[in-house]
Amino acid sequence: MAETVVIVGAAGGTGVKCVEQALEAGYRVKAGRREAVLPDSLKHLQEDSKEDFTGRLEPVVADVRDVDTLRAAFAGAKYVIFAAAASMRRGEKSANDAAAVDRDGIINTARAALDCDVSKVVFVSSACITSPDSGIYRMVGAMYPADIMQMKLAGYEGVLELYREANKPNCTYTFVRPGGLTDNAPVGEPCPKPKPKPNPKPNPNANPNPNPRPPEPPRVHRRRDRR
């Protein structure tokens, strides 16, 4: 039976890509959002896909502001990907404020995952949240709510504290901090995997003791003349 992964924030740009790739990899996917309805951004998987994902794609309620909905969504899941974010531009009104999503939402997700013994949680965060003097930090702060980077950092620290206190070695997490995500085609080449080094063949003529102990210098006995 396919392992289950829950995508929190499945209706967003990053969440949609996570759902698509998880399905292609053979996982059973719970697409989590505030309503148990497949968003328009994912309906193409049922309409245009060559493969029928209906049996492995399930819309579920996973509201990061409500930890009980997260626990219900995570039940039986082995993996969780947190792809939600307070992505509204400055000046726009939304319930997706940074404190509710990027701080409390991340902490709620971690708490629910620990309660449900989720094996691995991947949190999609942002680069430079610990470097307020960096250009990326200032750029994100200028485009989005001014406190979004501080809230991301507070969420990160809250997750660390929760996992430290829980002391569950089988429950792990990873923070992914991209500098920026686009829908453009990939560029560059992937890093090649290192080739394993072959085991050296034994040399029958090799010295069995490659580091012999150096011989001791000969002892010189001086003879005393008796007078």
Side-chain angles (χ1 to χ4, degrees):
M1 184 177 179
E3 295 175 334
T4 299
V5 56
V6 182
I7 312 297
V8 179
T14 303
V16 168
K17 295 298 182 184
C18 291
V19 171
E20 291 174 346
Q21 295 188 27
L23 287 170
E24 291 174 2
Y27 291 97
R28 179 175 176 267
V29 177
K30 291 183 180 181
R33 57 192 301 247
R34 292 177 186 169
E35 300 175 299
V37 178
L38 205 64
D40 292 339
S41 54
L42 289 175
K43 288 182 178 178
H44 67 280
L45 295 173
Q46 295 179 333
E47 298 170 356
D48 304 329
S49 178
K50 296 180 180 178
E51 184 178 350
D52 183 13
F53 293 128
T54 305
R56 292 192 289 113
L57 177 58
E58 176 189 0
V60 297
V61 176
D63 189 343
V64 298
R65 301 167 303 172
D66 187 344
V67 70
D68 290 332
T69 67
L70 296 174
R71 291 191 184 101
F74 297 171
K78 187 168 185 179
Y79 307 109
V80 168
I81 298 176
F82 181 94
S87 57
M88 301 302 290
R89 301 278 179 167
R90 273 180 177 267
E92 295 180 356
K93 301 294 183 180
S94 173
N96 289 334
D97 64 275
V101 178
D102 295 276
R103 183 191 64 193
D104 301 341
I106 282 181
I107 293 173
N108 286 340
T109 299
R111 182 175 287 111
L114 286 167
D115 291 343
C116 296
D117 293 325
V118 173
S119 177
K120 180 85 173 188
V121 184
V122 176
F123 297 95
V124 182
S125 182
S126 179
C128 301
I129 61 173
T130 58
S131 304
D133 295 329
S134 69
I136 293 178
Y137 189 104
R138 293 195 296 268
M139 179 189 69
V140 174
M143 294 173 60
Y144 297 102
D147 61 344
I148 189 170
M149 297 297 272
Q150 294 97 314
M151 294 301 103
K152 286 180 180 290
L153 176 59
Y156 166 75
E157 292 173 342
V159 169
L160 266 60
E161 185 65 23
L162 279 175
Y163 274 84
R164 189 181 301 115
E165 292 177 354
N167 192 25
K168 290 187 173 183
N170 294 328
C171 297
T172 61
Y173 65 90
T174 296
F175 272 84
V176 179
R177 296 180 180 174
L181 299 173
T182 71
D183 291 327
N184 299 333
V187 295
E189 297 293 333
C191 296
K193 294 182 179 180
K195 296 180 179 180
K197 294 182 179 180
N199 295 325
K201 295 181 180 180
N203 184 358
N205 299 323
N207 187 345
N209 187 9
N211 298 311
R213 187 174 180 180
E216 295 183 1
R219 295 183 178 180
V220 178
H221 298 278
R222 293 183 179 181
R223 183 177 177 183
R224 279 187 177 183
D225 293 333
R226 293 183 179 180
R227 291 181 183 181

